Each structure stands twice: as C-alpha cells, then as structure tokens.
Amino acid sequence: MTTGTGQQHPIGLYLKIWGLLFVLSTLSYGVDYFHIQGFLRWGLILVFMLLKAGLIVAVFMHLAWERLALICAILLPPLGLLVLVGLMAAEADYTYLTRLFFFR
Amino acid sequence: MSAVPASHDLALSPPVGWRGLISDWSSDREAFHIAWGKAMMWIFLLSDTFIFGSFLTGYMTVRASTTVPWPNPSEVFALHVGGTDVPLLLIAIMTFVLISSSGTMAMAVNCAYRRDRINAAALMFVTAGFGEMFVGMQAFEWTKLILEGVRPWGNPMGAAQFGSTFFMITGFHGLHVTAGVIYLIVVAVRLLRGKYEGGGGNYQIVEIAGLYWHFVDLVWVFIFALFYLW
C-alpha cells in the first residue's frame, strides 16, 4: 500500500480494467439492443453503470490506493444527492398526479 | 518590564481578527497527505459531481412528472445503416471512444510515473484525439436532432422536456470534454518542452490531468445509462 503520492501499478492492470469496461459497455448496450424491458432492464442498466463507475474511480483514478481520509471526503458527500433524488422523486410523483387531475 | 512580555504574550494567545483567521487556516495542518494540486483537483471534481448530479436529478424530475409520453431514446438516436435502423449506434460508438480515451490516459499516467515523458505526452495526445473524435460525433448528433426538429422548448416526438434536458446535459458534458482536450494538449506540450523538470522532475500534473479526464468519462457512464438507455 502506497501513501498516495506514488501510484505505480503494473500496466497489465490497466489493460484488464480497460477490457472489462469494454465488456460492461457492450453488455449495457445489449440491454437496449435486445429490447429487455421492465425491472430487469432498469436493474441491469444500474448494475452495469455502477460497476463501470466503480472500476473507473477505484483503478483509473487510483482512489482504491488513496488514504481513507481522502476516500471518505470524496465518496461520502455525493450520498447527499440521494436525498435530493428521493425528495424530487416524491415531488415528481405529486406533480404528475396533479397534472393528471387538472389537465385531462 | 512591560516591553518584554509583548512577544511572549503573542506566542501564547493567537492573533485575533482577520490575521487570526488567516493564521488559523494556514497553521501547517494537513488533512490530506497528497500533493496540493491533486487534493484541489479532487475537490473540484467533487463540486462537479454535484453539478451533474443536480442536472440528472432535474432530468429525472421532469421526465417522471410529464403526462406526455417521453420520446424513445432507442429510436431517436438510431442510425440507418445498411438498410436497417440500428438503435443507439452512434451513442455506443461514442461510449467506446471515450472508454478508449480513458485507457490511453491511464497509460499516460503510468508512463509519467515511469518518468517516460515522451510516451506520456504521446499518449496524452492520443487521448486528446479520442476526446476530439467524441466531440465531433456529438456535434453530428446535435445536428441530426436539430434537423429533425428537436428544440429546447419542444420536439415532434413527444414530451417537450426531452429537448431541454438533452441539450443541457450533453452540452455541459461536451463542454467538459472540450475543456479536457485543451487541458491535456497544454500539459502534454509543456511536458515535452521540459517545463516540469524543475527539482529533479515532477510529473504529478499528468496524474492530475488524468483525474479530470477520467471524471469526464465517469460522467458519461451515468449519462449513457440514465439518459440514453433508460
């Protein structure tokens, strides 16, 4: 484990992650190409998205080898966005129902 | 007697007012044991996360609250190739181009750590080339949609909010890619000219530029999943 200043890793690691990102992108494109619908579609899209994002942040951006203080400072604040998403989902539902009620 | 304790007092009680504020915030305490440039880039990227996060949340809100059917992205972004419509073809190619650029950028960072500045700069130029290719395809996509009548205030396919969120989100991302291309070229040229050779040579800037570039790819992962595939 490095202290975060020197990030020297074997080049094969990057090639593997690169290949994995290609595979994951192909799979998520396949979700659309083969017209998968419903919860399976949304679930697969989110899983592939999070896997790709995780690989990029952890390996390409070297966050997996950084100190925990930096990891927490970067990864914890965006969780606040989930609160916003929750609030806005409820608000969007309400707006949708109100529109159905008044504009039909 | 009164003149002697003055300096003594100063050492015991910290200064007040603006001087105190500055000394408190700069008193040699470090939270992150990494180069300051890298810490600042991470903090900038964190702020950018909130900008894109808010855009995508806004997109979710308008898409979930409209009573008009949302245009099917799979059909809107299909390309007519060899007599059939291939869904999302251009977007898939753009995704692969951007991932490839992330791969070459990772290689550039690796070369920089090996102190191989020629290859690091070359790979950064390749990365910038992929980025420019991405922006070019995005310009093609925008042109195609504008010719089909998509506007920020309406479109012939369905909900009017489609155009506004599409131009806003992909436009802001394209702006980031364009800025990244310029940033990479500037750093690569300075690297070749030997601007980072001071103090035995410090190529940390390549990793910092790499962080920005990977972030641009990261944002595209979310846009691809939530806007184009959803």
Side-chain angles (χ1 to χ4, degrees):
Chain A
M1 169 129 181
T2 59
T3 49
T5 42
Q7 296 278 6
Q8 178 87 263
H9 307 291
I11 215 138
L13 175 69
Y14 297 107
L15 289 173
K16 274 179 208 142
I17 299 301
W18 196 353
L20 214 50
L21 287 172
F22 258 85
V23 171
L24 286 170
S25 296
T26 312
L27 286 174
S28 51
Y29 179 57
V31 170
D32 189 68
Y33 194 82
F34 296 111
H35 303 293
I36 296 170
Q37 296 302 336
F39 283 106
L40 184 63
R41 179 191 184 91
W42 299 325
L44 285 176
I45 291 174
L46 287 181
V47 166
F48 293 143
M49 176 185 87
L50 292 176
L51 282 176
K52 279 165 73 180
L55 287 175
I56 293 173
V57 173
V59 181
F60 278 0
M61 298 173 90
H62 295 146
L63 201 61
W65 297 281
E66 297 290 1
R67 291 180 61 83
L68 193 59
L70 184 70
I71 295 176
C72 289
I74 300 305
L75 293 187
L76 295 185
L79 294 182
L81 281 169
L82 294 180
V83 179
L84 180 68
V85 168
L87 288 173
M88 287 299 107
E91 178 69 15
D93 253 13
Y94 169 73
T95 311
Y96 179 73
L97 292 175
T98 317
R99 282 175 176 166
L100 280 185
F101 192 71
F102 285 106
F103 297 107
R104 284 247 167 155
Chain B
M1 245 340 249
S2 61
V4 180
S7 62
H8 185 70
D9 277 353
L10 207 68
L12 278 181
S13 57
V16 291
W18 288 111
R19 193 167 283 278
L21 184 139
I22 292 163
S23 77
D24 283 356
W25 280 99
S26 62
S27 53
D28 279 344
R29 279 171 297 190
E30 278 184 273
F32 307 117
H33 299 280
I34 49 174
W36 67 268
K38 198 163 135 183
M40 293 314 284
M41 180 52 88
W42 268 115
I43 289 167
F44 166 71
L45 294 182
L46 182 62
S47 72
D48 236 13
T49 305
F50 278 92
I51 292 180
F52 280 107
S54 302
F55 276 170
L56 286 170
T57 311
Y59 151 72
M60 176 200 76
T61 310
V62 297
R63 182 164 174 174
S65 63
T66 177
T67 50
V68 183
W70 196 260
N72 183 357
S74 188
E75 288 162 16
V76 174
F77 300 104
L79 278 193
H80 202 69
V81 180
T84 49
D85 277 331
V86 186
L88 279 183
L89 182 61
L90 185 68
I91 310 303
I93 297 171
M94 285 164 78
T95 304
F96 287 121
V97 165
L98 211 56
I99 285 175
S100 300
S101 80
S102 243
T104 53
M105 189 67 229
M107 299 291 173
V109 173
N110 200 271
C111 287
Y113 271 109
R114 290 171 205 277
R115 318 205 50 75
D116 177 358
R117 67 185 172 122
I118 303 296
N119 277 326
L123 281 162
M124 285 173 88
F125 284 125
V126 172
T127 308
F130 276 130
E132 202 44 48
M133 206 191 287
F134 177 90
V135 176
M137 285 192 280
Q138 194 169 45
F140 173 79
E141 185 199 7
W142 274 46
T143 312
K144 186 170 167 284
L145 256 66
I146 291 169
L147 288 175
E148 286 169 5
V150 179
R151 298 287 183 276
W153 52 87
N155 64 78
M157 300 101 166
Q161 291 91 334
F162 174 81
S164 51
T165 48
F166 170 77
F167 288 121
M168 189 75 182
I169 293 173
T170 64
F172 206 70
H173 178 261
L175 202 67
H176 273 74
V177 179
T178 309
V181 168
I182 297 167
Y183 183 30
L184 288 182
I185 291 174
V186 168
V187 171
V189 167
R190 285 173 62 90
L191 192 65
L192 283 180
R193 284 190 175 168
K195 299 275 188 189
Y196 303 118
E197 301 303 314
N202 183 357
Y203 301 160
Q204 178 100 49
I205 185 75
V206 179
E207 193 191 356
I208 295 171
L211 283 179
Y212 178 84
W213 191 261
H214 293 311
F215 178 78
V216 167
D217 185 25
L218 181 69
V219 170
W220 182 254
V221 168
F222 285 87
I223 295 176
F224 179 61
L226 300 174
F227 194 89
Y228 291 100
L229 290 179
W230 203 255

PDB file of all heavy atoms in Angstrom, chain A residues 53-65:
ATOM      1  N   ALA A  53     -18.619   2.678 -13.156  1.00  0.00           N
ATOM      2  CA  ALA A  53     -18.212   3.845 -12.368  1.00  0.00           C
ATOM      3  C   ALA A  53     -17.224   3.429 -11.290  1.00  0.00           C
ATOM      4  O   ALA A  53     -16.205   4.096 -11.070  1.00  0.00           O
ATOM      5  CB  ALA A  53     -19.439   4.510 -11.745  1.00  0.00           C
ATOM      6  N   GLY A  54     -17.498   2.293 -10.643  1.00  0.00           N
ATOM      7  CA  GLY A  54     -16.614   1.823  -9.578  1.00  0.00           C
ATOM      8  C   GLY A  54     -15.218   1.519 -10.100  1.00  0.00           C
ATOM      9  O   GLY A  54     -14.222   1.902  -9.482  1.00  0.00           O
ATOM     10  N   LEU A  55     -15.135   0.839 -11.255  1.00  0.00           N
ATOM     11  CA  LEU A  55     -13.826   0.498 -11.820  1.00  0.00           C
ATOM     12  C   LEU A  55     -13.051   1.759 -12.179  1.00  0.00           C
ATOM     13  O   LEU A  55     -11.840   1.854 -11.920  1.00  0.00           O
ATOM     14  CB  LEU A  55     -13.998  -0.380 -13.066  1.00  0.00           C
ATOM     15  CG  LEU A  55     -14.421  -1.827 -12.815  1.00  0.00           C
ATOM     16  CD1 LEU A  55     -14.662  -2.543 -14.135  1.00  0.00           C
ATOM     17  CD2 LEU A  55     -13.367  -2.555 -12.007  1.00  0.00           C
ATOM     18  N   ILE A  56     -13.735   2.731 -12.806  1.00  0.00           N
ATOM     19  CA  ILE A  56     -13.041   3.965 -13.207  1.00  0.00           C
ATOM     20  C   ILE A  56     -12.499   4.694 -11.982  1.00  0.00           C
ATOM     21  O   ILE A  56     -11.328   5.081 -11.923  1.00  0.00           O
ATOM     22  CB  ILE A  56     -13.986   4.881 -14.017  1.00  0.00           C
ATOM     23  CG1 ILE A  56     -14.322   4.226 -15.359  1.00  0.00           C
ATOM     24  CG2 ILE A  56     -13.343   6.243 -14.256  1.00  0.00           C
ATOM     25  CD1 ILE A  56     -15.372   4.969 -16.154  1.00  0.00           C
ATOM     26  N   VAL A  57     -13.371   4.862 -10.963  1.00  0.00           N
ATOM     27  CA  VAL A  57     -12.947   5.630  -9.780  1.00  0.00           C
ATOM     28  C   VAL A  57     -11.870   4.875  -9.003  1.00  0.00           C
ATOM     29  O   VAL A  57     -10.861   5.456  -8.589  1.00  0.00           O
ATOM     30  CB  VAL A  57     -14.161   5.939  -8.880  1.00  0.00           C
ATOM     31  CG1 VAL A  57     -13.706   6.583  -7.585  1.00  0.00           C
ATOM     32  CG2 VAL A  57     -15.132   6.851  -9.604  1.00  0.00           C
ATOM     33  N   ALA A  58     -12.058   3.573  -8.823  1.00  0.00           N
ATOM     34  CA  ALA A  58     -11.141   2.818  -7.967  1.00  0.00           C
ATOM     35  C   ALA A  58      -9.776   2.634  -8.618  1.00  0.00           C
ATOM     36  O   ALA A  58      -8.749   2.845  -7.973  1.00  0.00           O
ATOM     37  CB  ALA A  58     -11.755   1.459  -7.625  1.00  0.00           C
ATOM     38  N   VAL A  59      -9.749   2.248  -9.909  1.00  0.00           N
ATOM     39  CA  VAL A  59      -8.474   1.894 -10.528  1.00  0.00           C
ATOM     40  C   VAL A  59      -7.894   3.036 -11.366  1.00  0.00           C
ATOM     41  O   VAL A  59      -6.776   3.481 -11.139  1.00  0.00           O
ATOM     42  CB  VAL A  59      -8.622   0.628 -11.396  1.00  0.00           C
ATOM     43  CG1 VAL A  59      -7.290   0.257 -12.020  1.00  0.00           C
ATOM     44  CG2 VAL A  59      -9.142  -0.522 -10.551  1.00  0.00           C
ATOM     45  N   PHE A  60      -8.691   3.534 -12.331  1.00  0.00           N
ATOM     46  CA  PHE A  60      -8.153   4.580 -13.205  1.00  0.00           C
ATOM     47  C   PHE A  60      -7.845   5.858 -12.419  1.00  0.00           C
ATOM     48  O   PHE A  60      -6.873   6.548 -12.689  1.00  0.00           O
ATOM     49  CB  PHE A  60      -9.131   4.886 -14.343  1.00  0.00           C
ATOM     50  CG  PHE A  60      -9.039   3.909 -15.494  1.00  0.00           C
ATOM     51  CD1 PHE A  60      -8.142   2.857 -15.460  1.00  0.00           C
ATOM     52  CD2 PHE A  60      -9.842   4.056 -16.609  1.00  0.00           C
ATOM     53  CE1 PHE A  60      -8.047   1.962 -16.513  1.00  0.00           C
ATOM     54  CE2 PHE A  60      -9.755   3.162 -17.671  1.00  0.00           C
ATOM     55  CZ  PHE A  60      -8.861   2.118 -17.616  1.00  0.00           C
ATOM     56  N   MET A  61      -8.701   6.195 -11.453  1.00  0.00           N
ATOM     57  CA  MET A  61      -8.473   7.413 -10.673  1.00  0.00           C
ATOM     58  C   MET A  61      -7.708   7.101  -9.387  1.00  0.00           C
ATOM     59  O   MET A  61      -7.507   7.984  -8.557  1.00  0.00           O
ATOM     60  CB  MET A  61      -9.797   8.105 -10.359  1.00  0.00           C
ATOM     61  CG  MET A  61     -10.534   8.556 -11.621  1.00  0.00           C
ATOM     62  SD  MET A  61     -12.181   9.205 -11.317  1.00  0.00           S
ATOM     63  CE  MET A  61     -11.828  10.936 -11.085  1.00  0.00           C
ATOM     64  N   HIS A  62      -7.292   5.826  -9.215  1.00  0.00           N
ATOM     65  CA  HIS A  62      -6.422   5.412  -8.108  1.00  0.00           C
ATOM     66  C   HIS A  62      -7.018   5.617  -6.730  1.00  0.00           C
ATOM     67  O   HIS A  62      -6.294   5.624  -5.740  1.00  0.00           O
ATOM     68  CB  HIS A  62      -5.076   6.158  -8.161  1.00  0.00           C
ATOM     69  CG  HIS A  62      -4.258   5.826  -9.362  1.00  0.00           C
ATOM     70  ND1 HIS A  62      -3.443   6.747  -9.986  1.00  0.00           N
ATOM     71  CD2 HIS A  62      -4.146   4.685 -10.084  1.00  0.00           C
ATOM     72  CE1 HIS A  62      -2.862   6.175 -11.031  1.00  0.00           C
ATOM     73  NE2 HIS A  62      -3.275   4.929 -11.116  1.00  0.00           N
ATOM     74  N   LEU A  63      -8.335   5.772  -6.633  1.00  0.00           N
ATOM     75  CA  LEU A  63      -8.902   6.070  -5.316  1.00  0.00           C
ATOM     76  C   LEU A  63      -8.764   4.871  -4.377  1.00  0.00           C
ATOM     77  O   LEU A  63      -8.694   5.038  -3.160  1.00  0.00           O
ATOM     78  CB  LEU A  63     -10.380   6.483  -5.446  1.00  0.00           C
ATOM     79  CG  LEU A  63     -10.922   7.274  -4.251  1.00  0.00           C
ATOM     80  CD1 LEU A  63     -10.151   8.569  -4.076  1.00  0.00           C
ATOM     81  CD2 LEU A  63     -12.398   7.573  -4.411  1.00  0.00           C
ATOM     82  N   ALA A  64      -8.694   3.657  -4.942  1.00  0.00           N
ATOM     83  CA  ALA A  64      -8.590   2.463  -4.096  1.00  0.00           C
ATOM     84  C   ALA A  64      -7.296   2.469  -3.291  1.00  0.00           C
ATOM     85  O   ALA A  64      -7.225   1.839  -2.240  1.00  0.00           O
ATOM     86  CB  ALA A  64      -8.661   1.205  -4.956  1.00  0.00           C
ATOM     87  N   TRP A  65      -6.278   3.172  -3.783  1.00  0.00           N
ATOM     88  CA  TRP A  65      -4.996   3.165  -3.096  1.00  0.00           C
ATOM     89  C   TRP A  65      -4.751   4.455  -2.310  1.00  0.00           C
ATOM     90  O   TRP A  65      -3.672   4.652  -1.776  1.00  0.00           O
ATOM     91  CB  TRP A  65      -3.851   2.968  -4.100  1.00  0.00           C
ATOM     92  CG  TRP A  65      -3.933   1.649  -4.796  1.00  0.00           C
ATOM     93  CD1 TRP A  65      -3.549   0.443  -4.292  1.00  0.00           C
ATOM     94  CD2 TRP A  65      -4.426   1.395  -6.122  1.00  0.00           C
ATOM     95  NE1 TRP A  65      -3.784  -0.543  -5.212  1.00  0.00           N
ATOM     96  CE2 TRP A  65      -4.315   0.003  -6.345  1.00  0.00           C
ATOM     97  CE3 TRP A  65      -4.956   2.193  -7.123  1.00  0.00           C
ATOM     98  CZ2 TRP A  65      -4.711  -0.600  -7.532  1.00  0.00           C
ATOM     99  CZ3 TRP A  65      -5.362   1.591  -8.311  1.00  0.00           C
ATOM    100  CH2 TRP A  65      -5.233   0.218  -8.503  1.00  0.00           C
TER     101      TRP A  65
END
